[in-house]
Amino acid sequence: MALRPVQVNIKALDASAVGRFWAEALGWSAYSPGVTTYVGPVGGLVWPDPVAVGVDVVPVPEPKTATKNRVHLDLATASTAHQAELVARLRALGATSAHVGQGEVPWTVLADPEGNEFCVLEPREIYRDTGPIAAVVVDCSDPRVMARFWDEAMDWTLHEVTDGRARLRSAEGVGPYLEFLRTPDVKTVPDRVHLDLLPYPGDDRAAELARLRALGATDLDLGQGDVPWTCLADPEGHEFCVLTPS
């Protein structure tokens, strides 16, 4: 039994507009099969994508507060010229500068049109083959605790774990990394960005949920009502959802 991350879920007042922004930002396409806007690689809607982790933008009635998201995307670049071009293009699409205490760093911190922070990284060899999303990054208090939980929760491979960082990637070595970075701040409010996980065809979803709870996940009531997915939190309170295979 195993689970795989299939999309990054972003909440937005205007899901269509934010979805279009991320499609342009990543060089992907935006699809609206229902109330949400799914962003994935060009070539027709394939869900779940066999390589990429997609973006699903979900409409909500509440705007983002001033609180910094504890989950964000890092975007990959191939050269310093590519980084500069991408930053300029993103600003033209509606991205704005974001200040999250980063100081003088070689990457650029921006926010999408509704204030969700993300980073445009300088070229790094480790991300040369990830596609446009280099990593899904999660702020945490203890990367070692996060590594233990998420390494068991998913079928991805743990590549690095230190006191300051944990890094996982798909067992096939494709797509983005999932990274947990130690930060001094603590989680206080539900995040507007989270991961959605999916069981493999034929796997027992109820057994997967029981396994996650045994690993330390807890059930969450975010007012979701009667829905075909289950909202959980990891040992540090980061929300995630386990979807029902279609």
Side-chain angles (χ1 to χ4, degrees):
M1 294 189 297
L3 292 164
R4 52 189 163 147
V6 291
Q7 60 195 24
V8 177
N9 185 298
I10 300 177
K11 297 179 176 67
L13 285 172
D14 189 337
S16 294
V18 173
R20 289 193 299 271
F21 169 85
W22 281 105
E24 292 286 345
L26 300 173
W28 287 354
S29 295
Y31 310 90
S32 295
V35 296
T36 73
T37 298
Y38 179 77
V39 178
V42 175
L45 178 59
V46 177
W47 190 92
D49 190 273
V51 174
V53 174
V55 174
D56 194 34
V57 187
V58 177
V60 295
E62 308 86 7
K64 183 179 184 293
T65 68
T67 304
K68 171 184 175 290
N69 288 335
R70 290 180 65 79
V71 181
H72 72 267
L73 299 181
D74 278 353
L75 306 190
T77 62
S79 66
T80 53
H82 180 208
Q83 182 186 17
E85 182 276 331
L86 180 56
V87 168
R89 186 166 63 83
L90 292 167
R91 292 187 191 279
L93 290 170
T96 55
S97 296
H99 302 282
V100 293
Q102 67 267 26
E104 291 293 328
V105 292
W107 58 88
T108 301
V109 184
L110 299 173
D112 74 12
E114 291 200 9
N116 298 298
E117 304 87 358
F118 65 97
C119 297
V120 181
L121 301 181
E122 77 283 5
R124 300 184 192 181
E125 179 63 21
I126 190 173
Y127 302 131
R128 63 180 174 79
D129 63 350
T130 60
I133 301 177
V136 181
V137 183
V138 182
D139 295 348
C140 68
S141 299
D142 191 337
R144 293 188 184 276
V145 170
M146 292 294 93
R148 284 194 295 272
F149 174 82
W150 286 94
D151 188 33
E152 292 288 338
M154 306 189 308
D155 67 340
W156 282 21
T157 300
L158 182 62
H159 283 261
E160 175 188 358
V161 58
T162 67
D163 289 341
R165 176 199 302 269
R167 178 182 282 136
L168 301 93
R169 197 184 189 194
S170 75
E172 293 80 16
V174 296
Y177 288 83
L178 174 61
E179 299 182 355
F180 296 90
L181 296 182
R182 181 186 293 275
T183 59
D185 52 319
V186 297
K187 183 173 171 58
T188 58
V189 298
D191 211 66
R192 290 180 77 82
V193 183
H194 69 256
L195 278 175
D196 285 342
L197 308 183
L198 185 70
Y200 283 88
D203 281 355
D204 186 331
R205 183 174 176 276
E208 284 295 317
L209 292 171
R211 187 175 65 83
L212 291 170
R213 293 179 182 115
L215 291 171
T218 53
D219 289 276
L220 275 182
D221 184 355
L222 300 172
Q224 66 269 21
D226 185 15
V227 292
W229 59 87
T230 301
C231 299
L232 299 171
D234 72 15
E236 285 200 8
H238 303 104
E239 302 88 1
F240 67 97
C241 293
V242 178
L243 308 179
T244 299
S246 56

